[in-house]
Amino acid sequence: MLQSRLTLPGRFRSAVSALGLAVALVASAAHAGPATVPDAPNDFLGTFTGPQGGDVDALSVGAQQNGTAVTLSALVNGTVGTTPGAAYVWGVNRGVGGPLLTFGTPSVGAGVNFDAVAVLFPNDTGVVVLFTGGVGGSPVPLPAGSVTVSGSTITGVIPFSMLPSTGFATADYLYNLWPRVGLMTNDQIADFAPNASSFRANVPEPATWAMMLLGFGAMGAWFRRRRGELAAT
């Protein structure tokens, strides 16, 4: 039986090998994606006294960090900004977080520990508040362009310079979202996502990025060498 085989010159095999490595690793990194945590629809808190609009009912939350900032995103059950006074509060546990909402009226959020919050507003603005000993400091505005709204999704990019560690490495920070209507009392909190718990952000594996750079570097070196060979002929 005859077999047909394509034989490439060594210089082309090296280029194809580098290209295959880079493409495979790009695909691997793309599949990593943000960590996404679902939340049940229409699971408003029994203590919530505000209007039960879809835009304060979380369907899923996600977080992706790159070492200098964390991108927090939420998908809600309606168009963001439909309910007047709606805000999206992200609790962040940087190391010494506690269940601070259990001390409010009414007591809610057992299991949701935080020592900072990032508050995102439907008008594309936001603030960060740090807590010391359970007491919140002055709100610090997020840089312009940090918050974006698109239909039923709201996203905020929070620099870690605004969230200094209180014990955790940034990769170990924990997050929870609570949409609310108004910023005064706990009966304005509509939902927790995920319920009574927190989750870590997705962090790209350093080895993956290192191998990607290696693959692209090999490709670049091959093309530079080939360009030199062609110029010499």
Side-chain angles (χ1 to χ4, degrees):
M1 179 168 52
L2 296 176
Q3 274 190 322
S4 173
R5 178 175 296 176
L6 175 63
T7 302
L8 295 175
R11 62 180 182 274
F12 288 106
R13 285 200 302 270
S14 63
V16 170
S17 176
L19 177 61
L21 174 64
V23 169
L25 289 170
V26 167
S28 173
H31 290 157
T36 301
V37 181
D39 189 67
N42 301 311
D43 60 337
F44 294 100
L45 299 182
T47 53
F48 178 50
T49 59
Q52 295 188 1
D55 59 331
V56 290
D57 176 26
L59 297 180
S60 68
V61 289
Q64 170 91 30
Q65 72 115 323
N66 61 9
T68 61
V70 61
T71 299
L72 303 172
S73 60
L75 173 68
V76 295
N77 201 11
T79 301
V80 172
T82 302
T83 302
Y88 302 85
V89 182
W90 285 87
V92 184
N93 184 355
R94 301 168 293 146
V96 295
L100 304 183
L101 295 173
T102 61
F103 303 111
T105 302
S107 177
V108 297
V112 178
N113 298 328
F114 63 97
D115 57 14
V117 295
V119 187
L120 310 183
F121 299 105
N123 65 352
D124 297 334
T125 64
V127 299
V128 169
V129 179
L130 305 182
F131 289 77
T132 303
V135 178
S138 299
V140 179
L142 288 169
S146 297
V147 182
T148 56
V149 173
S150 177
S152 56
T153 301
I154 184 166
T155 302
V157 180
I158 320 299
F160 283 130
S161 59
M162 299 181 70
L163 294 170
S165 173
T166 57
F168 288 164
T170 54
D172 294 324
Y173 283 13
L174 298 170
Y175 304 93
N176 183 285
L177 169 72
W178 53 92
R180 56 183 301 150
V181 182
L183 295 172
M184 299 301 294
T185 56
N186 285 351
D187 59 5
Q188 296 173 323
I189 298 174
D191 190 10
F192 284 107
N195 294 333
S197 63
S198 300
F199 70 102
R200 286 182 175 85
N202 178 275
V203 184
E205 292 290 340
T208 298
W209 293 109
M211 289 296 289
M212 284 177 61
L213 292 174
L214 179 63
F216 283 121
M219 286 176 59
W222 182 85
F223 283 117
R224 285 194 298 272
R225 185 169 61 252
R226 284 293 297 152
R227 191 165 55 243
E229 291 173 357
L230 292 173
T233 58

